[in-house]
Amino acid sequence: MANWLFKSEPDCYSYDNLVKEKKTWWTGVANALARKHLRAVEKGDRVWFYQTGDDKAIVGEMIVTHGPQPDPVEDDPKSVVVEVKPVRKLNRPVTLAEIKANVAFAGWELIKNSRLSVMPVTDDIWEQIEKLAE
DNA sequence: GCCAACGTTGGC
DNA sequence: GCCAACGTTGGC
């Protein structure tokens, strides 16, 4: 089992949207590295939901309910989507500023490669985020 | 296959 | 709104 972080622009799709919908196919990932990560996602993996734009914070947890498959809507055979459902909204969002300020997250792609929209999360980092969200 | 030009993302 | 960083495209 692995952990991940998915990014979304809340104006486009927010965690609240996901809660309302109960589950969703995570679509629209075009970047090659992000797709590579997405292809490694498995059913049952845990995922942090990070909101870009005005929020810049991890706001909730998701779980993968269906592993990767090509996007049936898109023409591109390299496209990949996974299905996720919400687990819980964090009591307190964990902001990018906090993450940047904390040495425990040094070197993480969220800081190093701000344009990456799908990235792995180590168990250590997962727990650190959990602590900060309390 | 290289690289310049252009486009996009996302933090500030 | 700006711009740095990164990706992608297309001419050669």
Side-chain angles (χ1 to χ4, degrees):
Chain A
M1 239 211 359
N3 317 304
W4 307 94
L5 180 144
F6 292 178
K7 276 188 194 174
S8 180
E9 172 72 51
D11 287 345
C12 177
Y13 196 86
S14 69
Y15 192 79
D16 290 338
N17 289 140
L18 176 62
V19 170
K20 240 176 274 170
E21 269 196 275
K22 305 275 200 294
K23 61 179 179 175
T24 195
W25 285 98
W26 203 267
T27 60
V29 176
N31 176 277
L33 182 57
R35 277 181 172 176
K36 190 184 155 207
H37 289 320
L38 204 57
R39 266 182 234 112
V41 171
E42 290 177 18
K43 186 178 175 179
D45 286 355
R46 298 179 295 181
V47 185
W48 288 133
F49 191 115
Y50 176 89
Q51 292 187 170
T52 58
D54 292 340
D55 297 356
K56 291 191 275 296
I58 296 171
V59 297
E61 183 184 346
M62 309 184 280
I63 193 157
V64 178
T65 52
H66 201 294
Q69 63 167 64
D71 190 335
V73 179
E74 266 200 67
D75 218 3
D76 183 358
K78 284 185 188 164
S79 68
V80 54
V81 297
V82 300
E83 191 190 52
V84 290
K85 72 175 182 184
V87 173
R88 63 176 171 133
K89 192 170 179 171
L90 296 185
N91 295 330
R92 209 181 62 78
V94 178
T95 66
L96 181 63
E98 283 178 86
I99 289 166
K100 278 191 161 175
N102 191 325
V103 288
F105 304 108
W108 190 19
E109 282 95 327
L110 189 69
I111 302 167
K112 234 177 19 181
N113 185 359
S114 63
R115 298 183 51 185
L116 188 63
S117 61
V118 176
M119 70 191 72
V121 177
T122 63
D123 287 340
D124 274 358
I125 289 181
W126 186 274
E127 280 169 31
Q128 294 286 339
I129 297 290
E130 259 179 348
K131 268 186 214 159
L132 287 174
E134 275 167 14

